[in-house]
Amino acid sequence: MSLSRREFLKSSAAASAAAAIGMSVPAELEANAKAAETSWRWDKAACRFCGTGCGIMLATTGDGKDRKIVAVKGDPAAPVNRGLNCIKGYFNAKIMYGADRLTQPLLRMNDKGEFDKHGKFAPVSWERAYDEMEKNIRKALKESGPEGVAVFASGQYTIMEGYAAQKMMKGGFRSNAIDPNARHCMASAVVGFYQTFGIDEPSGCYDDIELTDTIVTWGSNMAEMHPILWSRVTDRKLSDPDNVKVVNIQTYTHRTCDLGDFNIIFRPNTDLALWNYLAREIVYNHPEAIDWDFIKKNIIFAAGPVNIGYGFRRAGEKSLLPVREDGSAGKYDAKEMQTYNKEMQKVVSDLEGPALEPYGYKAGDVMHNTPGTLKHWEISFEEYKKSLAPYTLDYTAKLCKGDPDESLDSFKKKLQDLAALYVEDGRKVVSFWTMGMNQHTRGTWDNTLSYNVHFMLNKQARPGSGAFSLTGQPSACGTAREVGTFCHRLPADMMVKNPKHRAITEKGWHIPAGTLNPVGNQHIMKIHRDIEDGVVKFAWVNVCNAYQDSANAKHWVKAAREMDNFIVTSDGYPGISAMVSDLILPSAMIYEKWGAYGNAERRSQHWRQQVLPVGNAMSDTWQWVELSKRFTVDDLWGPYTLRNGKKLADVRDAAVKMGYNRNTTMYEILYANERAKKNYPLALDQFPQKGYDNSECIGDERNVVGTDGKVFKGYGFMIHQYLWEEYASFGRGHGHDLADFVTYHKVRGLKWPVVNGKETAWRFNVNFDPYALKHATENGRGSEFAFYGPLAKALPHGNLKGVQDKKKKPLTDKAKIFARPYMDPPEMPDEEYDLWLCTGRVLEHWHSGTMTMRVPELYRAVPEALVYMNPAAAKERGLKDGGLCWVESRRGRVRARVETRGRNRPPKPLVFVPWFDERVFINKVTLDQTCPMSKQTDYKKCAVKIYKA
């Protein structure tokens, strides 16, 4: 029997699927399958999607340009997923082969072939594309200085891409206007880590799931957002159903709730009160549960200001001028200003009045807000106890109950049962959260409150117990946080504002002292606002969809199209950001390049390039390195004056003294320097390079004509290894140790710190963490723990209302319990906009849907975003299941289909709309409120009205 190649592949897939579920396989089919697979090459990689960090196996066949990925399966050797994949994971290959994949640069041009911001997209060469980029970057630097060049970066960058981008932005352009979309997904978790521990990233790991007795989810639909982890939770529950308890604390009922022993549906934003209720139960009603020995050795109590606003624009900013009599201001209409004015002052509501009384406010008071601050001070336990007094069972239940159809007695019983699980002696508890706590106007507060409960019970940083933030993106930890691609960060927890950290980085990058910019405040929302204000003249969107994923999107789309600027998007597909841009660059996708990701449990994973990119697409690393060739010492390292009056020194003479000259390019300094070429040569006959493509280092058979008009032949050294090793050097010996490049290609990832070849499962615990053991031994405190993070470890002293003694006291190796009150969000349902809107994701689609909507199977499964409503709420508005409606806020409206019987089951006051569908552009409706401390956007709460379309 003769079979075509396609039939061979089908036979193989069918045989594999049958074998996986234990079916007997016909001999002929099995023989065909084996024949088809003889040419397959299997290799490990990391999944492209969420921050879980699943390992996968990829099979490729063919050679050169004809090599294709023909099969994907879960990696049985990967400790995260143990051979399982979620539905998206199985389509890791298909996301790369959509019909409208971008294959060449596209520039807006007029009929004469000239760039025209209002022209149509037409193909251009890489050289022409980079000519336009160079010209507009030079214009931006001339008009606005370093603050005029910005990058919308990503938690989906590979580690090497993010590090390459950061080097050129901060070391080359001297601009800190680079911020990842991870700002939207885990910035509050980061600031919570910094404030609590003095260092970023979680203390526990996924092994806690198998070791715990209790899983509590807070604003986390793990069943759909982290399905592999949820499979492990489910397995743990079913392994001991009587003892293991699962509780879900959410604003609406969803698939995660199906496993719960009980579920708590709360009013949006009141999770702050729930955490404080639990702490009050411990302090007032179960003081015997407090581990005072642990507290005295390891913990101090702290507080900070409460009048910090909501992260909006401030009065007097350019786009809020002039203020008009009708209530509108600048580019914002009167209805929008009803919400934005609360940034300056607000009236304390009856709901939040009791919670704010210990801080000196009562209901009806006018609170004058100042911009959010990270400042805090030490308080006594008695002051902390005062902060908890309002959160009685009666107050908390009345404030928090989110389902009007649930009785108050039922809700109270659940709160009591929840407290009993946390307090129970010997019961291990893991608290998981995702965007529900992070995308929050008080997200930093919410994160710190979680540790309070665990600390008092000594149930943190122990196997099976701890509060754990589940990061959303595949490398939001590894690239955004650890590499430091945030506007305010540098590698390995260093900060741009810290002169010692800048000096360490400048030395590591071999650039002159004083090169780095000390002002790092251009976070994602500020970049958008700076574009709207005409400050940012050049912006580059990398590995994200900045114009679909930002709240109140109509403002930013309008500014991108109408202001005097030049917007570039690098992507695999033409999403909303690409369509908004002036230039589109085709990016290589995940398995078309070498890379590494860091997941939510501190696990770093590497993979090799499996296939060549399509068309003329090239990796984002290549795109950054190529840009560096066009700018010299003389171009970028002269003097600048920033908006705040700070001056960046002229470091060109210092560069000459270091051995550079005025015409030395950033390429020669930051990438193709002697360190890189000498220490990381190509080794094409050795592991891990042998037998694998490497488009950046040696070029490839496509013979892509590069940015200089010549066929690109490669850099001639192992740039991926160089970028990894230089980045890793910043953390080694400082509690952030990473293994070497080659080791990661032999293993299924390692959880940092990696010390003497061994990963660390539980940080801060002397039994598992060598750094904790070292600190505990040196400081002689006789503790089982050492919270050794260095940030904010000396504080003044005060009470809930402010600082009383300015003298700072050191807090060596101690963590913090914070007093943080409940507060309302700035926009809540009222008579006109009578419903809460919550946005998020669904299992089948990833973020803006740019990739997954190109996969036929995933598109067919969920072809459009729906408005999930309570049936009674829909009936009250004359809406039927499957009918069309308008979802309208003070900022915009979208039309979508009503769903009253779906997987998401909201209470009457709330609707849920996922954001993956660019045709249902829900971020035109959402509010750009943020946590003022972390600058993370709150997509979970704004007020809308819904009516028939």
Side-chain angles (χ1 to χ4, degrees):
M1 176 181 173
S2 174
L3 288 178
S4 69
R5 178 175 178 274
R6 181 178 179 83
E7 288 169 333
F8 263 124
L9 296 180
K10 283 185 174 182
S11 296
S12 177
S16 297
I21 60 174
M23 288 177 57
S24 59
V25 179
E28 185 179 18
L29 180 63
E30 187 172 13
N32 290 338
K34 288 181 179 179
E37 293 183 21
T38 53
S39 64
W40 289 13
R41 180 187 70 188
W42 287 96
D43 198 24
K44 73 177 183 72
C47 178
R48 174 61 180 80
F49 299 109
C50 76
T52 300
C54 293
I56 62 171
M57 297 296 292
L58 299 172
T60 57
T61 188
D63 294 303
K65 290 187 290 184
D66 296 325
R67 180 172 287 279
K68 293 285 187 265
I69 301 174
V70 293
V72 179
K73 65 182 180 181
D75 183 355
V80 171
N81 54 311
R82 305 166 186 178
L84 290 177
N85 272 354
C86 78
I87 187 63
K88 290 190 295 294
Y90 285 111
F91 292 106
N92 265 289
K94 278 200 172 184
I95 62 172
M96 301 184 345
Y97 300 122
D100 59 343
R101 179 77 189 272
L102 295 168
T103 60
Q104 56 190 332
L106 300 170
L107 177 69
R108 288 187 184 274
M109 293 192 290
N110 59 26
D111 293 339
K112 298 178 182 178
E114 302 164 330
F115 167 67
D116 184 342
K117 194 166 181 70
H118 302 288
K120 295 181 179 180
F121 285 114
V124 293
S125 67
W126 277 108
E127 184 178 25
R128 173 70 190 282
Y130 270 60
D131 287 345
E132 295 292 343
M133 289 173 72
E134 179 187 345
K135 179 173 70 177
N136 282 280
I137 290 171
R138 291 183 185 276
K139 175 185 174 184
L141 289 170
K142 183 177 180 180
E143 295 184 17
S144 298
E147 292 161 310
V149 177
V151 173
F152 293 104
S154 180
Q156 300 174 64
Y157 271 141
T158 70
I159 287 172
M160 293 77 153
E161 287 169 346
Y163 186 66
Q166 174 171 238
K167 285 194 80 175
M168 186 58 198
M169 279 297 287
K170 296 178 181 177
F173 293 130
R174 309 177 79 180
S175 172
N176 292 323
I178 174 173
D179 210 50
N181 57 359
R183 176 73 68 178
H184 294 313
C185 81
M186 33 52 65
S188 291
V190 172
V191 181
F193 281 122
Y194 279 149
Q195 293 222 315
T196 302
F197 300 97
I199 192 171
D200 193 10
E201 300 275 13
S203 51
C205 62
Y206 298 157
D207 293 352
D208 286 326
I209 295 171
E210 283 75 30
L211 298 171
T212 194
D213 307 311
T214 316
I215 293 101
V216 185
T217 69
W218 293 75
S220 176
N221 185 0
M222 285 180 72
E224 294 201 56
M225 303 310 109
H226 298 89
I228 296 302
L229 294 183
W230 193 242
S231 72
R232 291 175 61 171
V233 170
T234 302
D235 185 63
R236 175 64 183 133
K237 170 65 177 173
L238 296 179
S239 70
D240 189 2
D242 294 332
N243 179 57
V244 175
K245 302 298 180 183
V246 176
V247 183
N248 302 291
I249 303 173
Q250 317 292 341
T251 58
Y252 62 95
T253 303
H254 44 59
R255 285 180 172 175
T256 300
C257 298
D258 295 342
L259 188 67
D261 288 272
F262 59 92
N263 304 300
I264 295 174
I265 304 300
F266 67 95
R267 186 204 308 254
N269 228 63
T270 62
D271 42 354
L272 294 157
L274 292 175
W275 278 119
N276 278 315
Y277 162 75
L278 292 174
R280 187 188 190 279
E281 279 295 294
I282 295 167
V283 169
Y284 282 80
N285 297 328
H286 297 280
E288 75 285 352
I290 301 175
D291 189 331
W292 278 110
D293 182 62
F294 170 81
I295 296 292
K296 289 174 181 176
K297 289 178 179 178
N298 301 290
I299 303 294
I300 62 102
F301 297 88
V306 296
N307 60 328
I308 60 177
Y310 303 100
F312 295 128
R313 285 186 176 276
R314 300 285 298 172
E317 290 187 20
K318 185 175 180 180
S319 288
L320 287 181
L321 294 174
V323 177
R324 306 180 189 91
E325 291 185 4
D326 66 357
S328 65
K331 298 178 180 179
Y332 295 79
D333 66 31
K335 282 192 173 182
E336 289 177 282
M337 291 308 298
Q338 291 173 0
T339 301
Y340 295 131
N341 282 330
K342 293 179 183 178
E343 180 62 22
M344 278 51 78
Q345 66 179 46
K346 60 160 293 182
V347 176
V348 176
S349 74
D350 292 338
L351 287 175
E352 62 191 349
L356 287 170
E357 280 191 18
Y359 301 84
Y361 295 93
K362 62 182 183 299
D365 285 352
V366 176
M367 177 182 283
H368 296 278
N369 293 325
T370 56
T373 175
L374 300 178
K375 291 182 180 179
H376 54 280
W377 50 87
E378 186 174 359
I379 61 173
S380 67
F381 171 72
E382 290 306 315
E383 283 292 301
Y384 174 66
K385 188 174 181 179
K386 287 179 188 176
S387 79
L388 300 178
Y391 301 96
T392 62
L393 180 62
D394 286 341
Y395 170 67
T396 305
K398 183 178 179 182
L399 172 67
C400 298
K401 187 170 76 73
D403 185 351
D405 294 330
E406 182 177 11
S407 73
L408 194 61
D409 287 342
S410 168
F411 192 78
K412 286 182 178 179
K413 174 67 164 52
K414 291 177 181 178
L415 295 186
Q416 291 173 314
D417 290 346
L418 177 67
L421 289 173
Y422 275 99
V423 170
E424 183 182 330
D425 185 34
R427 174 170 284 277
K428 298 175 183 178
V429 185
V430 176
S431 302
F432 284 120
W433 66 91
T434 318
M435 296 305 104
M437 275 174 53
N438 290 348
Q439 290 176 342
H440 199 302
T441 53
R442 293 294 181 268
T444 299
W445 290 8
D446 218 1
N447 273 263
T448 58
L449 287 174
S450 69
Y451 302 115
N452 293 359
V453 171
H454 283 267
F455 278 151
M456 284 194 288
L457 301 170
N458 195 359
K459 295 183 179 181
Q460 180 69 31
R462 289 186 175 278
S465 281
F468 197 120
S469 169
L470 291 170
T471 306
Q473 297 184 79
S475 201
C477 294
T479 307
R481 294 157 77 166
E482 296 162 23
V483 168
T485 50
F486 283 96
C487 65
H488 63 289
R489 289 179 72 163
L490 293 167
D493 281 329
M494 294 191 292
M495 303 292 173
V496 298
K497 71 177 181 180
N498 187 316
K500 292 181 180 178
H501 293 176
R502 295 197 303 276
I504 291 169
T505 306
E506 287 163 346
K507 183 178 179 182
W509 288 352
H510 290 241
I511 60 178
T515 301
L516 294 180
N517 183 343
V519 180
N521 61 11
Q522 285 176 276
H523 55 87
I524 274 187
M525 293 313 302
K526 192 169 192 329
I527 291 173
H528 278 305
R529 293 166 189 169
D530 281 350
I531 291 172
E532 188 176 57
D533 289 349
V535 175
V536 168
K537 300 291 187 180
F538 176 92
W540 192 359
V541 180
N542 281 191
V543 204
C544 66
N545 198 345
Y547 286 93
Q548 187 174 340
D549 71 22
S550 288
N552 196 11
K554 71 173 185 179
H555 272 281
W556 323 129
V557 170
K558 184 177 181 181
R561 295 304 311 136
E562 296 184 2
M563 298 299 293
D564 177 22
N565 56 41
F566 191 79
I567 311 293
V568 182
T569 290
S570 295
D571 205 339
Y573 291 104
I576 286 178
S577 295
M579 295 299 99
V580 167
S581 297
D582 303 301
L583 173 66
I584 304 172
L585 302 179
S587 285
M589 294 183 70
I590 179 167
Y591 310 117
E592 297 170 342
K593 57 194 176 186
W594 291 66
Y597 281 159
N599 80 345
E601 63 166 354
R602 294 173 280 109
R603 183 181 299 276
S604 307
Q605 301 183 79
H606 286 233
W607 66 89
R608 297 180 280 199
Q609 182 176 342
Q610 301 296 316
V611 292
L612 298 187
V614 301
N616 289 318
M618 294 296 286
S619 76
D620 292 82
T621 299
W622 181 88
Q623 292 177 34
W624 274 103
V625 174
E626 290 301 294
L627 186 65
S628 73
K629 293 177 177 179
R630 290 176 174 248
F631 294 90
T632 67
V633 166
D634 212 33
D635 293 331
L636 301 182
W637 286 357
Y640 291 103
T641 300
L642 304 176
R643 276 179 290 179
N644 66 357
K646 287 196 175 185
K647 296 184 182 298
L648 296 184
D650 186 334
V651 297
R652 291 174 294 184
D653 288 342
V656 171
K657 290 179 181 178
M658 293 179 69
Y660 306 129
N661 62 58
R662 293 294 186 100
N663 294 317
T664 305
T665 65
M666 293 298 121
Y667 171 68
E668 296 167 282
I669 296 171
L670 300 176
Y671 306 110
N673 49 58
E674 288 305 311
R675 305 182 310 281
K677 291 186 286 188
K678 178 181 177 181
N679 297 324
Y680 306 102
L682 293 175
L684 302 178
D685 59 343
Q686 297 175 26
F687 178 87
Q689 299 178 42
K690 185 176 181 180
Y692 283 83
D693 292 310
N694 197 327
S695 296
E696 295 94 333
C697 298
I698 59 175
D700 60 49
E701 295 175 17
R702 296 173 302 154
N703 291 321
V704 173
V705 177
T707 60
D708 59 359
K710 301 175 183 177
V711 173
F712 179 71
K713 296 294 186 182
Y715 297 125
F717 66 98
M718 189 57 175
I719 192 169
H720 315 291
Q721 188 173 12
Y722 163 61
L723 292 170
W724 172 265
E725 294 295 348
E726 184 179 89
Y727 149 63
S729 69
F730 288 107
R732 289 173 180 151
H734 304 288
H736 200 129
D737 306 64
L738 296 162
D740 65 274
F741 181 84
V742 174
T743 292
Y744 283 107
H745 285 281
K746 297 176 181 177
V747 300
R748 263 56 176 188
L750 294 169
K751 297 187 288 288
W752 63 263
V754 182
V755 180
N756 297 323
K758 184 180 179 181
E759 64 179 2
T760 300
W762 290 275
R763 288 200 303 166
F764 313 127
N765 187 319
V766 301
N767 299 303
F768 303 95
D769 182 349
Y771 279 95
L773 179 61
K774 178 176 181 288
H775 279 257
T777 302
E778 290 175 352
N779 294 321
R781 293 187 299 109
S783 176
E784 190 182 350
F785 298 89
F787 298 103
Y788 51 79
L791 298 178
K793 286 301 182 74
L795 296 179
H797 200 281
N799 58 26
L800 293 175
K801 298 176 183 178
V803 174
Q804 295 173 307
D805 182 357
K806 293 184 179 179
K807 185 178 179 181
K808 290 187 177 182
K809 174 185 173 183
L811 315 168
T812 304
D813 291 342
K814 290 191 175 185
K816 301 165 191 169
I817 286 177
F818 279 92
R820 308 286 206 196
Y822 162 76
M823 290 186 73
D824 295 337
E827 187 172 276
M828 301 170 72
D830 56 21
E831 288 188 9
E832 181 176 4
Y833 300 96
D834 59 339
L835 293 168
W836 293 102
L837 169 67
C838 178
T839 68
R841 293 196 284 116
V842 294
L843 170 67
E844 293 83 356
H845 289 295
W846 173 244
H847 283 198
S848 61
T850 311
M851 294 179 289
T852 53
M853 287 288 272
R854 266 81 181 179
V855 177
E857 293 86 347
L858 297 177
Y859 178 84
R860 287 195 298 268
V862 182
E864 61 183 326
L866 304 172
V867 181
Y868 292 92
M869 292 187 73
N870 183 281
K875 186 176 181 181
E876 289 171 2
R877 292 160 177 78
L879 301 172
K880 295 182 179 179
D881 190 70
L884 290 172
C885 71
W886 287 104
V887 182
E888 182 177 331
S889 73
R890 289 174 172 84
R891 293 154 296 282
R893 70 175 188 170
V894 297
R895 190 170 66 167
R897 202 172 303 280
V898 174
E899 175 60 75
T900 62
R901 297 175 294 180
R903 64 181 80 177
N904 300 302
R905 294 149 274 165
K908 287 175 68 175
L910 182 143
V911 297
F912 172 77
V913 183
W915 68 282
F916 68 84
D917 189 350
E918 63 184 38
R919 298 161 304 178
V920 181
F921 193 179
I922 195 62
N923 276 333
K924 292 193 299 184
V925 177
T926 52
L927 176 62
D928 55 334
Q929 58 194 347
T930 72
C931 169
M933 300 169 78
S934 70
K935 310 300 188 290
Q936 179 165 352
T937 319
D938 186 344
Y939 297 91
K940 302 300 180 186
K941 292 169 283 293
C942 72
V944 298
K945 58 184 175 183
I946 296 185
Y947 50 93
K948 193 172 183 179

